[in-house]
Amino acid sequence: MTVPAVELRALWKEFDGVAAVRGVDLAVSEGELVALLGPSGCGKTTTLRMIAGFEIPTRGGILIRGRTVSGPGQFAPPERRDAGLVFQNYAVWPHMTVEANVGYPLKVRGVGAAERRSRVLQMLDLVQLSGLGDRYPHQLSGGQQQRVALARALSKEPAVLLLDEPLSNLDARLRKEMRIEIKTLQRRLGITIVYVTHDQEEALSMADRIAVMGQGVVHQLGTPEEVFERPADRFVAEFMGCTTFLPCEVAGPNRVRLLLGAEMPCVFCPLAPGAAGRGVVGLRAQDVRLASDGADTLAGHAELRTYRGGSFEVLVGIGGQAIPVITDTPLAEGSAVRLALTRLYFFPETRDATMSGRANKALLASTSASAALDTSTANDG
Amino acid sequence: MRHATVSSLAMGVPVGVILLGAVIYPSLVLVWQGFSRAGQPTLANVLAVMGESDTWRVLWNSLYVSLWATVIGGAVGTVLAFAVCRTNLPGRRFFRTALLLPYVVPPFIGALAWLALLGPVGFVNQLWMALTGDPEPLFRIYGALGIVLALSLYNYPLAYLTVLASLERMDPALEEAARSSGATPFRMVRDVTLPLVAPAVGAGAVLVFLSSVANFGIPAILGFPAKYFVLTTKIFATILDFDRPNNLGLAAALSFLLVLAAGVAMGLQKLSVRGRAYGLTRGTGQPILLDLGRWRRRAGILAWIFLSVTSIAPVLAILLTSLTRAYGMPFGLENLTLRNFHTLFFMFPAVWRSLWNSLILAASSATVAILLAVLVAYAQTRTRMRGNGALESLVALPFVVPGTVVALAMILAFLKPVLGISLYNTIWIILVAYIARFLALAVKPIVAAFTQVHPSLEEAARASGATLARSLRDVTLPLVRPALAAGWFLAAVPAVTELTLSVLLWSVGNETVGVMVFNMHEEGKVLLSSALAVVVMAIALASNFALRRVGDGWGGQS
């Protein structure tokens, strides 16, 4: 077992008695990109700032390459941590040239001018800013400033690179471009990255593993495929694009009976293998199809049709529920339709979201291996 | 667009008339009087002033005391802003506000307070002479030293506020990035924080200089007894030197020098920040506080000593003076009396009259100022009127130009009846001067508020069927109302305790309370002037407190 690049142990942070992070455990391997994904206020940025050394944990510990930087009675200030940080708003110093910005960590460390210069040029080359070393930040675009921030954080060759929503201030096109660039850099240099984002698409496309956070706890930790295809709980499912939730009850192993009428196969969330009783199934619009007839389908009426360029989104009313379906067929509003739900995720009823979050975490540890439960039934009904 | 034309005319006319009468006309007359004699253009005044060796000594005095005040006030303000905003100084929240106290006390009152503490018969010198038997006083407050001291301590809050604003606006991520790059806290301050606030330090220092060079009350009270003149007091003396031929023309020529000194300072400041205005973005979160460690307690004690010596001691000294039976009497409970206040309020009807005059002048000039300010703000934020830039300059001019110069311009403009109306020797000339002087203060928050109310809100009212006037009444005014209150107080508060303008424009029966204190002091009625100064100080504190309350309500709205 090699030493993780970053390790969080039961990390806990309270602000004036209010818990922002409540017991996060995470081990990031060397060369891995782990995304902390969650809505605002979920504790992801606080977690990142604790790793960087800008917040002191209330409890728990942080190790960087096996060295404790935060722990009971121990605290290394930011400048003595082997971590580079890229801020959401770049935080490029306006009074320094690009070269001075990127070279600053080396200068502070006492690296000589000649060597510093060659390293900076190398860094600028890496982030495709060659030749802009003499510019001042206000002469650069937002995307270029972001690259300066990236080069500055990388120039001291940190054990871990911490990125705090680095792309959220860029426009959509640049964001896509930078995603690929950061990913390429990470692969090429083998850098370890902890990446905070609220954008699920960003996390899915870039991360090796995603930690989905909500209300200060990690709801699920897994590869993008795992998190997307087997969401651990309703919170994760909602974050992963499930927009419709239908009440149901368990009908048998991997089968549920919708209260709307039909019985169909589904994927059980890891918390509920072989569970009984009531719950909800979550589904994505892309997993709903028009069906001609047959068992395991739902009958309803097309209520509202909107054109989305090449296809239609039709809201189908079934027993007071509106289920969206995407189809090429120009269904007339009011016409009778049948829907087949191709992939459902079952979540047992819970009272308290935080309870489920904590319970899931405990359970995830034990069941992650046995998670191969029923991928067969998950595909197509 | 007939409606728009009619209404912009209706709004433009009052603004035009008042700005013409209170700003443009007096400025032109001032310039004309400086460059003419007996209606003929000539350089005689300017040459006479420049040929006098006294002029150069006075200019040197002005620059000397102002530059020292700039260095001291700028340094003190910067250090204090840093201590309050970036260290874990004990009680930093309290000090953040308390350190503004010296600026709340009107400068001439402050000078009187310093006199009570450090003057020839002030408490410190009395104590010194009593303890050591030394017949010579320890401090000689009259002259350059005392003026520099009083100017520095009155004006450091300008530098303090400017640097504080810059520090508080700075994105904490900029400093965090330095720490994350491996910089120690000290290194971070040196490499990132200080360079980033440097423009604010410069701007704050220029404000201190401008305020110092334009100040009248302090060099008048601490300079006259030592025959130490600066430009403002020299202009004052020249205006009152009725026996001298062409005294007003000479004063006008002298005032050009004063405006020049202020203008050069502003120009230098603009030059120095060119290309360095970073437009620091406001960040989120708290900045890193420097841990003072074992120096924390000592720093706290030092801050208390500073506050006590600069704000509390002089105030206590003048309060005690106002309560003593006879000036120069040793301090003792048996020598305390309220008799001075009794005399003040029951034997000098002029005192009541002056208080009343000041309140009426402040209230009416502030009211006219906000009415004008609404029109100016509307023009600036809602129309693309040609001349909006000129309008802005016209509003700012009487506030930027030293008050003594404004007063001189008023005298020259209204000495003779204008259009058959005689303002000179009436209270109206003071009112006109106050409106011109304090209009800029009222305009600022109101323009800010209009900027915050997006025009689409008015347009939505228009689209709902409201007329322009109705949309202003129903939508815009309610939204900017807190700013109107703030603007009114901002203009009224300094007017209540004003001295520089009224000391040149007053006439018998039309004294302001500032003039009353000043004249009593000049006549040697030390106990009475101290007592009235205490009253003025109480008014200043109370009205600033009210301003803060109103300002908080306004600030919390955005």
Side-chain angles (χ1 to χ4, degrees):
Chain A
M1 185 86 181
T2 52
V3 179
V6 178
E7 200 178 345
L8 312 182
R9 290 180 181 167
L11 201 59
W12 191 286
K13 177 68 182 177
E14 287 172 13
F15 292 105
D16 302 323
V18 180
V21 174
R22 304 181 299 167
V24 167
D25 290 288
L26 180 69
V28 183
S29 312
E30 290 285 348
E32 189 183 23
L33 195 163
V34 170
L36 303 181
L37 173 68
S40 67
C42 73
K44 56 190 193 299
T45 295
T46 305
T47 304
L48 193 81
R49 288 175 61 79
M50 284 194 280
I51 303 175
F54 291 114
E55 303 289 352
I56 302 175
T58 311
R59 285 197 287 285
I62 300 171
L63 292 84
I64 295 180
R65 282 198 175 142
R67 187 174 79 95
T68 302
V69 290
S70 287
Q74 278 173 293
F75 181 76
E79 66 269 22
R80 284 206 301 249
R81 295 189 178 206
D82 199 1
L85 179 54
V86 176
F87 295 84
Q88 180 173 3
N89 50 4
Y90 328 134
V92 177
W93 299 305
H95 63 298
M96 296 187 194
T97 61
V98 167
E99 192 177 324
N101 262 284
V102 176
Y104 187 75
L106 303 171
K107 190 176 169 189
V108 170
R109 224 185 248 185
V111 176
E115 192 194 338
R116 202 163 69 219
R117 195 175 158 76
S118 81
R119 291 260 295 272
V120 167
L121 291 180
Q122 208 180 320
M123 283 298 142
L124 291 181
D125 201 36
L126 208 61
V127 297
Q128 302 178 22
L129 286 179
S130 311
L132 297 184
D134 295 333
R135 299 269 181 95
Y136 278 89
H138 68 92
Q139 298 168 307
L140 303 180
S141 68
Q144 288 172 321
Q145 290 188 32
Q146 186 60 283
R147 286 162 203 264
V148 175
L150 199 58
R152 180 177 67 190
L154 284 173
S155 73
K156 68 171 184 179
E157 295 176 346
V160 58
L161 182 64
L162 308 171
L163 303 175
D164 184 6
E165 307 238 7
L167 307 184
S168 60
N169 282 0
L170 303 177
D171 64 46
R173 193 182 54 80
L174 254 178
R175 210 177 303 161
K176 267 208 168 119
E177 208 178 295
M178 285 298 288
R179 260 191 222 166
I180 295 167
E181 208 172 308
I182 293 175
K183 189 72 192 164
T184 314
L185 265 180
Q186 184 236 347
R187 284 283 155 71
R188 214 165 92 203
L189 305 177
I191 327 162
T192 311
I193 295 181
V194 178
Y195 190 108
V196 160
T197 180
H198 65 266
D199 181 335
Q200 53 125 350
E201 210 183 305
E202 209 167 285
L204 288 172
S205 65
M206 294 177 69
D208 296 315
R209 281 191 300 158
I210 298 175
V212 184
M213 290 185 72
Q215 295 190 312
V217 297
V218 174
H219 280 250
Q220 187 172 9
L221 175 66
T223 64
E225 292 86 350
E226 278 167 6
V227 173
F228 189 82
E229 285 164 21
R230 303 192 44 73
D233 58 20
R234 183 172 170 164
F235 174 83
V236 177
E238 279 183 51
F239 221 83
M240 286 296 149
C242 288
T243 50
T244 309
F245 289 87
L246 304 171
C248 65
E249 56 189 25
V250 174
N254 300 322
R255 282 191 80 77
V256 289
R257 189 179 305 112
L258 296 183
L259 299 194
L260 291 175
E263 191 184 306
M264 47 188 70
C266 73
V267 183
F268 275 15
C269 91
L271 190 68
R278 293 196 158 200
V280 290
V281 284
L283 70 147
R284 301 185 179 99
Q286 67 220 54
D287 293 329
V288 181
R289 301 238 174 93
L290 288 181
S292 48
D293 194 8
D296 296 355
T297 61
L298 296 167
H301 289 89
E303 281 181 355
L304 181 72
R305 190 184 79 196
T306 49
Y307 188 55
R308 53 202 303 277
S311 60
F312 300 92
E313 182 172 330
V314 183
L315 277 182
V316 178
I318 302 171
Q321 288 268 354
I323 301 174
V325 58
I326 292 163
T327 173
D328 297 340
T329 321
L331 286 172
E333 288 177 4
S335 59
V337 280
R338 296 193 80 83
L339 295 182
L341 312 180
T342 55
R343 185 195 295 222
L344 297 171
Y345 301 101
F346 173 74
F347 305 108
E349 223 164 43
T350 48
R351 291 262 167 266
D352 180 45
T354 57
M355 278 305 295
S356 86
R358 258 186 249 170
N360 280 345
K361 216 159 55 65
L363 214 131
L364 271 172
S366 59
T367 56
S368 60
S370 65
L373 277 182
D374 43 10
T375 20
S376 53
T377 44
N379 298 330
D380 285 329
Chain B
M1 294 312 286
R2 235 185 102 83
H3 280 87
T5 319
V6 171
S7 56
S8 67
L9 205 68
M11 295 198 309
V13 167
V15 176
V17 167
I18 294 184
L19 287 180
L20 189 70
V23 183
I24 301 172
Y25 172 66
S27 314
L28 293 178
V29 172
L30 176 73
V31 174
W32 171 246
Q33 290 288 333
F35 290 110
S36 73
R37 269 185 188 176
Q40 294 301 314
T42 168
L43 284 177
N45 290 329
V46 177
L47 292 176
V49 161
M50 283 174 54
E52 220 175 305
S53 67
D54 203 34
T55 303
W56 302 107
R57 203 179 58 241
V58 166
L59 175 65
W60 167 247
N61 287 349
S62 258
L63 294 178
Y64 180 82
V65 294
S66 302
L67 285 173
W68 271 113
T70 304
V71 170
I72 298 170
V76 166
T78 303
V79 168
L80 290 177
F82 197 85
V84 163
C85 196
R86 285 294 195 275
T87 72
N88 61 347
L89 180 78
R92 45 192 286 267
R93 276 174 201 288
F94 164 77
F95 282 115
R96 188 186 180 283
T97 313
L99 288 170
L100 292 170
L101 219 55
Y103 202 67
V104 170
V105 178
F108 68 102
I109 301 287
L112 288 177
W114 282 109
L115 215 50
L117 186 68
L118 300 178
V121 247
F123 288 99
V124 169
N125 283 329
Q126 267 193 55
L127 198 67
W128 170 259
M129 290 186 279
L131 288 181
T132 62
D134 191 341
E136 287 297 304
L138 182 64
F139 285 100
R140 296 186 178 284
I141 196 171
Y142 291 128
L145 183 68
I147 295 173
V148 168
L149 175 80
L151 283 177
S152 308
L153 292 175
Y154 170 63
N155 285 321
Y156 83 77
L158 292 170
Y160 167 75
L161 270 182
T162 314
V163 178
L164 194 70
S166 169
L167 281 171
E168 287 181 345
R169 205 167 42 229
M170 187 188 298
D171 184 353
L174 290 168
E175 293 179 313
E176 287 173 357
R179 295 292 297 279
S180 205
S181 296
T184 58
F186 172 75
R187 192 97 201 243
M188 171 194 85
V189 169
R190 198 193 69 187
D191 292 347
V192 175
T193 318
L194 282 183
L196 288 179
V197 296
V201 173
V206 168
L207 285 179
V208 173
F209 179 84
L210 290 174
S211 175
S212 299
V213 85
N215 191 282
F216 168 78
I218 290 170
I221 283 166
L222 300 179
F224 285 165
K227 305 259 184 297
Y228 189 89
F229 285 91
V230 296
L231 281 170
T232 51
T233 50
K234 181 72 186 171
I235 294 169
F236 174 82
T238 309
I239 293 170
L240 296 187
D241 194 356
F242 303 115
D243 299 333
R244 193 167 176 190
N246 292 312
N247 66 323
L248 292 181
L250 294 172
L254 267 176
S255 76
F256 298 158
L257 266 184
L258 183 52
V259 173
L260 191 72
V264 167
M266 278 189 275
L268 282 180
Q269 200 261 335
K270 282 232 168 75
L271 266 184
S272 73
V273 294
R274 182 183 289 174
R276 290 207 300 156
Y278 306 125
L280 289 179
T281 47
R282 186 185 287 274
T284 50
Q286 293 296 310
I288 312 173
L289 295 184
L290 214 61
D291 188 4
L292 295 172
R294 53 201 197 84
W295 290 92
R296 189 165 180 255
R297 268 178 67 101
R298 276 172 254 190
I301 293 169
L302 216 61
W304 268 112
I305 292 176
F306 178 83
L307 194 67
S308 311
V309 170
T310 60
S311 296
I312 301 172
V315 170
L316 273 182
I318 195 167
L319 184 66
L320 282 177
T321 304
S322 72
L323 293 174
T324 44
R325 286 177 191 282
Y327 193 43
M329 259 186 144
F331 174 71
L333 274 181
E334 68 282 1
N335 288 332
L336 290 186
T337 176
L338 281 171
R339 208 180 56 201
N340 299 322
F341 288 93
H342 186 269
T343 314
L344 196 65
F345 286 123
F346 295 101
M347 298 171 76
F348 282 85
V351 166
W352 284 109
R353 194 170 65 210
S354 72
L355 279 167
W356 179 245
N357 283 342
S358 281
L359 288 177
I360 288 290
L361 279 168
S364 42
S365 64
T367 306
V368 176
I370 55 158
L371 292 177
L372 272 183
V374 167
L375 300 180
V376 168
Y378 189 87
Q380 283 190 352
T381 57
R382 295 291 192 270
T383 69
R384 285 155 197 265
M385 224 167 67
R386 263 175 299 137
N388 262 347
L391 185 63
E392 203 179 341
S393 314
L394 275 182
V395 168
L397 186 69
F399 189 69
V400 177
V401 164
T404 308
V405 180
V406 174
L408 174 61
M410 293 295 161
I411 294 174
L412 293 170
F414 300 113
L415 195 55
K416 290 176 200 139
V418 179
L419 304 174
I421 306 166
S422 179
L423 294 183
Y424 195 66
N425 269 341
T426 70
I427 202 165
W428 295 98
I429 191 170
I430 307 181
L431 182 68
V432 172
Y434 280 9
I435 292 169
R437 177 79 167 161
F438 300 121
L439 177 61
L441 292 174
V443 165
K444 213 173 172 192
I446 295 173
V447 166
F450 266 86
T451 312
Q452 278 181 10
V453 177
H454 196 269
S456 63
L457 294 175
E458 280 161 30
E459 285 161 8
R462 300 295 297 278
S464 305
T467 60
L468 175 62
R470 180 99 199 246
S471 75
L472 287 176
R473 199 185 71 203
D474 291 350
V475 175
T476 316
L477 277 183
L479 288 172
V480 301
R481 189 171 293 148
L484 296 187
W488 192 88
F489 271 90
L490 276 172
V493 166
V496 178
T497 57
E498 202 281 335
L499 171 72
T500 311
L501 297 168
S502 50
V503 80
L504 281 165
L505 301 175
W506 71 280
S507 45
V508 177
N510 299 318
E511 309 88 347
T512 63
V513 69
V515 169
M516 204 69 203
V517 175
F518 187 78
N519 287 350
M520 282 178 161
H521 173 77
E522 293 296 289
E523 290 161 16
K525 296 177 186 144
V526 178
L527 295 178
L528 289 180
S529 72
S530 298
L532 191 52
V534 168
V535 173
V536 173
M537 205 142 45
I539 295 173
L541 283 174
S543 51
N544 270 281
F545 182 71
L547 172 66
R548 271 191 85 79
R549 295 289 299 265
V550 172
D552 284 350
W554 176 56
Q557 220 227 359
S558 60

